[in-house]
Amino acid sequence: MTEAWKAHLANLKTFKDYADEIGTRFLVVMIPDKAQVYHFLKPQNTMGQFLDVDRANSILHNFFKNEKIEYLDLLPLFRRYANQETRKWLSPDKDFYYK
């Protein structure tokens, strides 16, 4: 795990600890990147292989479960309702994201 990930998770843990300290609930809402939602936008490496756009969510899910942090991952809902028809641009009127 990179230092950036370690720092990110430590920050989330700090928020959780503070929420516990002041007696309130802490909820993380995960808003997916457009490349996670629209399969035709998935980035590729130099060999033309698609990158694992779900890796970040997996890391976060495991962390949240281990730390007992409540979370809402919007990725499944976005994927379910997104128009997956391959096209060059996303529509600001019909899609979740825009160009």
Side-chain angles (χ1 to χ4, degrees):
M1 182 174 299
T2 67
E3 292 304 314
W5 265 111
K6 289 177 186 175
H8 180 54
L9 299 178
N11 286 333
L12 289 167
K13 175 82 169 92
T14 299
F15 277 114
K16 168 67 166 127
D17 292 344
Y18 180 67
D20 289 346
E21 183 180 310
I22 63 172
T24 190
R25 294 173 71 184
F26 177 56
L27 173 69
V28 176
V29 178
M30 299 169 61
I31 301 172
D33 181 78
K34 62 185 173 187
Q36 292 179 287
V37 175
Y38 298 98
H39 65 87
F40 55 90
L41 296 177
K42 282 186 183 179
Q44 297 178 6
N45 65 17
T46 56
M47 297 176 63
Q49 299 167 322
F50 288 107
L51 301 180
D52 182 4
V53 294
D54 294 333
R55 181 175 176 267
N57 288 52
S58 295
I59 291 169
L60 289 169
H61 288 186
N62 289 333
F63 176 77
F64 294 149
K65 287 177 186 170
N66 289 338
E67 297 298 329
K68 296 178 178 49
I69 294 174
E70 296 178 74
Y71 68 96
L72 177 60
D73 185 356
L74 298 178
L75 180 57
L77 290 170
F78 275 41
R79 280 184 177 161
R80 181 184 308 156
Y81 293 104
N83 175 1
Q84 294 293 346
E85 180 182 324
T86 302
R87 57 202 177 279
K88 188 173 182 176
W89 306 109
L90 295 177
S91 168
D93 298 324
K94 298 178 182 177
D95 294 312
F96 295 119
Y97 304 86
Y98 52 90
K99 179 176 141 184

